[in-house]
Amino acid sequence: MQGCEVSTRLRYRLTLASGMLECLCFAGVVFGFASLMFVLKEDGYFSYLCATVPGTNGTLTITDCSGQDEQFSLVFTITSFLNNFLCLVNGYLFDRFGTLVTRLVAICLYTTGTLLVAFSSAALSELLFPALSCVAVGGILLLLTNMQVANLFAAHRSTVITLYNGAFDSSAAVFFLIKVLHEQGVSLRSSFLVLSSCSIIHLLRTLLLMPRTHIPYPLPQYYTYGLDCGQANTYNLEQFERMRNGGMTESQETSGKDVSQAPEEGTDAQDSKTVESFRSCVLSWFFLWHMMWLSIMQLRHYLFIGTLNPMLNRLADNDPNLVSQYTNAFAMTQLCGVLCAPWNGLLMDRHKGKPLAPGETEQEVDLRSSSLSLFLTSLQCLLFSVCASVPFLPLQYLTFILQVLNRSFLYGGNAAFISMAFPACHFGKLYGLVMSVSAVISLLQYPCFALVKGALGGDPFFMDIALTLVTLLAFIHPVYVYIYCKKVAHHRKDNTQTEVTNGFIMAEAKL
């Protein structure tokens, strides 16, 4: 058993490291769309939408590619929408059928998407719509199945969740790498064929280093998965769970059996107490405010990414070298997402290992620590939105830094908050629902883009100001969580004082 325990710990670490690389290199590549858009323009995608118009003096001509920019914006809008909207289906798929089925679907989608991009061309520009959508949905499925790995490391659960989300954000730099390779003569087709061939790695990891169903939380002793480890997987905890949760008396008859062996993957370690229903979770203020918090900030980020290239062209007076320089700078900052995200997790896990106060629950402490994280994320988004609103090109370096910092805090904090505020059995569905609703809200980016191109004459200043004011609504969520935790603490203190008083009265009565 000791050798098996060592092997299990090694498997945990391999699963963590390989999941990290998977998220970093594949899961969120579509959010490097600004870099890919630069390559696609050079290869002539949607170039038929560019029009040549005469200049003011009648001799010079100007190429107007606003139609091309709008089409690229539509590609990103649909891709980012499906990336989040289908999370509701993805969450149900994960909760209902488990890790193996979900990851097989993800691998199929991802491979299909990369192959479609590889075999697309300027004449088949419309293939970008289904191609990037498949890559996005497959990538978010890979992230969803990887976040449960945090259950293997209870003391650092929020840190691992935020680390994976940070790696998801940093994977946007993959398209920057494709842009650099393209400038060195490597074709877009070759790059995406390499990405497609990496699906073999995802498949091997699914079979060897991931569970068939789910990783439970809290984690049972000697829990294992994947390849068999001696006799560690011989005990059928699925039957035990049915007996425990169903209230069967058969558990009493098997009390003499040895239950010290490691449980099989796929078991649930939740207490036998009544679990809050999915409906009550959705209708709670926690969920509603959290959904608004995510939707507002996500809309701000999506509009910024989708309009980055035309914004840089406008501020750089259409200087392609200067636009390429700032596009590269933006892509390089995306790599820092994996470095920024763990700080949010450490902020949420700072209370781990400390003794609880009398009557205090672990969930209460988790929520109290999350309120600071939610507030800092809202503040970062406000600062990012303010900087993005100022039409000064050098300031955009600071905007890029704040954007990647806020994005890494946003998605990691989103998943971590759902995992600590609601039952684990509803995680996939709740995560999917909040992402789906935020996706519907994110559709506003396209009419916003059209409004800037039309009524605002290409100047997004007033639109940026309006979005900055809307961002202030995100502060409602952390304030509500903080007030809730204060009320719970006050109620617990009153109950403790009442119990002490009653105990003193009873002691005097006995005397």
Side-chain angles (χ1 to χ4, degrees):
M1 180 61 71
Q2 184 176 1
C4 180
E5 184 178 351
V6 173
S7 176
T8 299
R9 289 202 198 100
L10 178 61
R11 184 179 290 114
Y12 288 179
R13 294 189 179 98
L14 286 175
T15 301
L16 175 66
S18 59
M20 177 70 179
L21 289 175
E22 187 173 73
C23 290
L24 184 61
C25 298
F26 304 99
V29 293
V30 292
F31 293 102
F33 184 75
S35 297
L36 182 65
M37 183 176 171
F38 198 89
V39 175
L40 295 173
K41 280 187 172 183
E42 287 191 348
D43 284 356
Y45 284 72
F46 298 119
S47 57
Y48 61 87
L49 295 174
C50 290
T52 302
V53 296
T56 55
N57 56 11
T59 57
L60 298 176
T61 59
I62 301 173
T63 302
D64 180 15
C65 289
S66 58
Q68 183 188 35
D69 290 338
E70 189 170 351
Q71 195 73 355
F72 278 123
S73 178
L74 181 60
V75 170
F76 182 75
T77 299
I78 293 176
T79 299
S80 57
F81 168 73
L82 292 177
N83 175 75
N84 288 349
F85 184 74
L86 290 182
C87 277
L88 180 57
V89 178
N90 298 341
Y92 174 79
L93 180 69
F94 178 61
D95 284 348
R96 176 67 178 84
F97 297 102
T99 304
L100 178 61
V101 173
T102 306
R103 286 183 63 84
L104 289 178
V105 172
I107 293 169
C108 289
L109 287 172
Y110 200 91
T111 306
T112 301
T114 51
L115 286 176
L116 284 175
V117 176
F119 292 103
S120 67
S121 62
L124 298 172
S125 301
E126 284 72 17
L127 279 179
L128 291 177
F129 287 97
L132 293 180
S133 296
C134 285
V135 172
V137 177
I140 197 69
L141 274 172
L142 292 176
L143 173 65
L144 180 62
T145 57
N146 276 318
M147 283 192 291
Q148 62 177 328
V149 174
N151 294 343
L152 300 174
F153 306 92
H156 306 285
R157 192 174 178 221
S158 296
T159 303
V160 173
I161 290 176
T162 54
L163 182 65
Y164 274 2
N165 278 270
F168 177 86
D169 295 336
S170 292
S171 63
V174 171
F175 280 175
F176 165 67
L177 179 60
I178 290 176
K179 174 180 178 293
V180 173
L181 292 174
H182 188 270
E183 292 171 348
Q184 301 301 317
V186 179
S187 67
L188 187 67
R189 174 170 297 183
S190 299
S191 297
F192 273 87
L193 284 176
V194 171
L195 284 178
S196 181
S197 65
C198 289
S199 295
I200 298 174
I201 301 175
H202 304 320
L203 183 60
L204 291 176
R205 182 170 181 271
T206 300
L207 299 176
L208 302 179
L209 289 175
M210 293 297 286
R212 293 190 307 276
T213 53
H214 302 94
I215 298 176
Y217 183 80
L219 200 67
Q221 191 176 20
Y222 303 129
Y223 171 78
T224 189
Y225 52 90
L227 294 176
D228 289 341
C229 181
Q231 300 297 319
N233 269 335
T234 59
Y235 187 72
N236 184 4
L237 264 189
E238 291 182 356
Q239 180 183 2
F240 175 74
E241 273 304 308
R242 288 195 297 269
M243 290 188 297
R244 186 179 64 174
N245 293 335
M248 296 175 62
T249 58
E250 186 180 348
S251 58
Q252 297 176 353
E253 300 173 4
T254 59
S255 60
K257 294 184 179 180
D258 180 17
V259 295
S260 61
Q261 295 172 316
E264 288 185 348
E265 48 93 1
T267 60
D268 191 357
Q270 288 186 357
D271 295 334
S272 57
K273 62 183 180 180
T274 303
V275 178
E276 190 177 3
S277 68
F278 175 70
R279 183 175 183 273
S280 62
C281 292
V282 172
L283 296 179
S284 67
W285 282 110
F286 269 170
F287 185 79
L288 295 176
W289 288 129
H290 185 70
M291 187 164 54
M292 184 193 71
W293 176 82
L294 176 67
S295 299
I296 290 173
M297 288 188 280
Q298 181 173 263
L299 174 63
R300 187 68 188 96
H301 281 275
Y302 279 6
L303 189 63
F304 177 77
I305 296 173
T307 60
L308 178 62
N309 191 268
M311 183 266 285
L312 291 178
N313 274 298
R314 182 176 57 85
L315 295 180
D317 293 327
N318 293 310
D319 183 346
N321 293 326
L322 197 56
V323 172
S324 179
Q325 174 186 330
Y326 275 85
T327 302
N328 292 346
F330 175 72
M332 289 298 294
T333 57
Q334 302 306 300
L335 282 171
C336 300
V338 69
L339 303 177
C340 300
W343 292 103
N344 192 20
L346 292 171
L347 191 66
M348 290 184 166
D349 285 336
R350 68 187 187 277
H351 64 282
K352 298 290 187 181
K354 297 179 181 179
L356 300 177
E360 190 176 44
T361 64
E362 184 177 353
Q363 185 187 36
E364 181 186 341
V365 180
D366 286 342
L367 288 174
R368 187 166 63 246
S369 67
S370 72
S371 61
L372 178 58
S373 169
L374 297 172
F375 176 80
L376 288 178
T377 306
S378 304
L379 181 61
Q380 291 165 2
C381 187
L382 179 62
L383 295 176
F384 150 66
S385 186
V386 169
C387 290
S389 303
V390 179
F392 182 57
L393 189 58
L395 184 63
Q396 300 315 306
Y397 287 121
L398 178 59
T399 304
F400 297 161
I401 295 173
L402 289 172
Q403 191 270 342
V404 71
L405 177 65
N406 182 235
R407 183 176 168 80
S408 61
F409 267 60
L410 177 63
Y411 290 105
N414 167 50
F417 180 81
I418 292 175
S419 70
M420 66 177 59
F422 304 104
C425 60
H426 300 316
F427 175 80
K429 295 185 289 292
L430 291 171
Y431 179 82
L433 181 59
V434 73
M435 294 296 282
S436 297
V437 173
S438 65
V440 175
I441 302 300
S442 70
L443 285 177
L444 293 173
Q445 64 181 297
Y446 190 70
C448 288
F449 182 79
L451 180 62
V452 170
K453 283 290 182 182
L456 297 180
D459 187 357
F461 179 74
F462 292 105
M463 179 63 67
D464 288 335
I465 294 298
L467 288 172
T468 301
L469 294 177
V470 172
T471 301
L472 295 173
L473 296 175
F475 286 93
I476 296 177
H477 184 38
V479 171
Y480 178 81
V481 174
Y482 177 78
I483 293 175
Y484 171 84
C485 292
K486 293 289 287 184
K487 287 182 178 179
V488 170
H490 183 70
H491 181 68
R492 186 184 68 251
K493 183 178 179 181
D494 290 344
N495 288 343
T496 302
Q497 291 177 346
T498 302
E499 290 176 2
V500 171
T501 303
N502 291 340
F504 180 75
I505 293 174
M506 292 180 64
E508 281 195 336
K510 289 181 180 180
L511 291 174

